[in-house]
Amino acid sequence: MFPFTAIVGQELMKKALILNVIDPGIGGVLVKGEKGTAKSTTIRALEQILPPVTHIKDCPFHCDPRQPEKYCPYCAEKYVDSKPETTVSPMKVVELPLSATEDRVAGTLDLEAVLQTGKKKFEPGILAQANGNLLYVDEINLLEDYIVDMLLDSAAMGVNYIEREGVSFTHPAKFVLVGSMNPEEGDLRPQLLDRFGMSVEVKGEKKMGVRTEVVSRRLEFDLDPYSFIDKYKEESEALAKKIVEAKNLIKEIETDRKIIEMAARLSLYFGMEGHRADITMIRSARANAAYEGRTVVTKEDLEAIAPLVLAHRLKKKPFEKTGEYDLSDVHKCLEDL
């Protein structure tokens, strides 16, 4: 797998992905761009720097031992009066294929077993695998709308709810949702776009030196992958450590009311509907501060993350390109504060 730290350019995409790993509550990332811009390569390479996750041993849903109120039915029954045995696993990237059916995604209830034994038997789906991990959907704009709705609902609530013939089953499904797409193949509905915490538009590099470096690194990797990976091992380990430290540090960050007012001003200035953009900007700014090793959120944090949070939520006129606006407007909106 191509090292995350060896990817040339695409800094906004990398920043958006890292901030969502630090705080999954941001709401995920939608990566839009032309083919051949390292979208899938970058997302899959994230697995090398993802932090470890503690979960209950042998639980098919990877229940978090620190949140007994969110246990799956199996763990809730098994650990009523005892502490569960835990294990630590590296966070991973779980991919959802375009051909996945609703049952494959959400899981299935074995109704025959319920009728015969009186006990619920559930076959876990992709959402169960994704709990505590990162769920990646390539070409998400080609996925059926009802599947996308299901993914976004689970990502927002942290729970997967299945009901068949009056029999229901619930299990935790908290994950970082990352989708990628080529706008030339169609777009997502505005209602679905707004559900993503961040979006970033990636383009091919236009500078000769950068394009040359992209090709050189790819050829070097193809020639000897193991040596190439080893070359970036120290840098990858340092970034992974920085992410873990940021996840711990973010718990100590308090948000000043002035920062909240700045986020509200940005939302009003750019005509945001509802309050989702405001909340996402605050969470993203906190994650950005933690990533830079600070416990205080500044105006610069908001300016850094605002394009990622606002671009896909802007109202557009017919036939106008989406996701593009002048970044200087963000600074202009906040310059007198």
Side-chain angles (χ1 to χ4, degrees):
M1 189 179 294
F2 198 87
F4 185 86
T5 52
I7 293 168
V8 181
Q10 310 298 9
E11 298 304 325
L12 270 182
M13 172 169 55
K14 291 188 282 189
K15 171 65 79 69
L17 292 169
I18 289 171
L19 294 184
N20 272 270
V21 173
I22 294 171
D23 182 6
I26 290 172
V29 188
L30 177 63
V31 182
K32 300 189 288 184
E34 56 199 28
K35 56 185 178 290
T37 48
K39 299 187 299 294
S40 299
T41 300
T42 304
I43 295 165
R44 293 183 177 119
L46 256 183
E47 194 161 294
Q48 304 163 5
I49 58 168
L50 291 176
V53 179
T54 301
H55 56 88
I56 295 177
K57 189 176 182 180
D58 299 327
C59 173
F61 308 102
H62 311 105
C63 285
D64 186 341
R66 298 164 298 182
Q67 297 182 311
E69 71 280 1
K70 296 182 180 179
Y71 281 178
C72 68
Y74 302 140
C75 290
E77 181 181 354
K78 186 175 180 180
Y79 301 110
V80 176
D81 300 314
S82 61
K83 287 187 176 182
E85 185 179 354
T86 63
T87 186
V88 178
S89 303
M91 191 176 177
K92 60 184 179 180
V93 176
V94 177
E95 293 197 43
L96 186 147
L98 275 178
S99 59
T101 62
E102 183 177 359
D103 285 346
R104 177 72 184 92
V105 176
T108 57
L109 275 165
D110 189 337
L111 297 178
E112 186 177 346
V114 173
L115 293 173
Q116 290 179 351
T117 65
K119 293 185 178 181
K120 296 177 183 178
K121 184 178 180 182
F122 181 75
E123 293 294 331
I126 292 173
L127 289 179
Q129 299 173 32
N131 186 40
N133 293 305
L134 185 148
L135 179 60
Y136 173 43
V137 187
D138 191 13
E139 297 182 323
I140 191 169
N141 53 322
L142 303 182
L143 202 62
E144 294 288 349
D145 282 347
Y146 71 93
I147 298 287
V148 178
D149 283 330
M150 186 193 308
L151 297 178
L152 291 169
D153 285 342
S154 294
M157 297 185 296
V159 171
N160 179 33
Y161 179 80
I162 306 97
E163 185 169 358
R164 298 287 186 275
E165 305 297 332
V167 181
S168 61
F169 189 92
T170 304
H171 70 79
K174 190 67 177 177
F175 51 85
V176 179
L177 178 62
V178 178
S180 63
M181 57 176 277
N182 184 345
E184 294 177 357
E185 299 171 346
D187 212 339
L188 287 175
R189 301 197 318 263
Q191 300 93 319
L192 298 181
L193 279 173
D194 183 60
R195 299 287 295 279
F196 278 94
M198 292 180 170
S199 78
V200 58
E201 187 162 353
V202 295
K203 298 179 180 179
E205 298 291 347
K206 302 301 181 185
K207 295 180 180 179
M208 177 70 73
V210 178
R211 290 182 74 94
T212 303
E213 184 63 20
V214 169
V215 175
S216 296
R217 292 191 186 187
R218 184 71 225 189
L219 293 175
E220 185 181 349
F221 172 77
D222 291 342
L223 186 64
D224 190 346
Y226 295 104
S227 295
F228 187 81
I229 291 169
D230 191 57
K231 181 178 176 180
Y232 289 90
K233 184 179 180 181
E234 188 175 329
E235 197 174 338
S236 297
E237 290 175 350
L239 180 55
K241 182 181 178 182
K242 187 176 179 180
I243 291 172
V244 171
E245 290 172 348
K247 285 182 73 71
N248 294 327
L249 185 62
I250 200 172
K251 302 169 188 175
E252 303 175 19
I253 297 178
E254 294 183 6
T255 307
D256 187 89
R257 185 173 181 83
K258 188 175 181 180
I259 296 297
I260 299 176
E261 290 174 355
M262 290 180 186
R265 177 184 280 204
L266 283 168
S267 288
L268 291 171
Y269 184 88
F270 288 103
M272 295 294 107
E273 295 181 347
H275 304 287
R276 186 173 284 139
D278 308 51
I279 296 169
T280 304
M281 276 192 283
I282 295 297
R283 298 198 72 136
S284 303
R286 292 174 75 245
N288 192 69
Y291 182 57
E292 295 184 2
R294 291 181 280 105
T295 56
V296 177
V297 180
T298 66
K299 181 172 69 172
E300 287 69 31
D301 290 314
L302 273 177
E303 291 182 354
I305 58 84
L308 298 169
V309 176
L310 299 176
H312 61 299
R313 295 184 166 94
L314 289 175
K315 291 181 180 178
K316 294 293 178 181
K317 297 176 183 178
F319 309 113
E320 188 177 359
K321 288 185 177 180
T322 60
E324 294 183 1
Y325 68 98
D326 190 354
L327 176 57
S328 64
D329 287 349
V330 173
H331 178 74
K332 179 182 176 181
C333 178
L334 301 176
E335 65 182 350
D336 61 330
L337 294 177

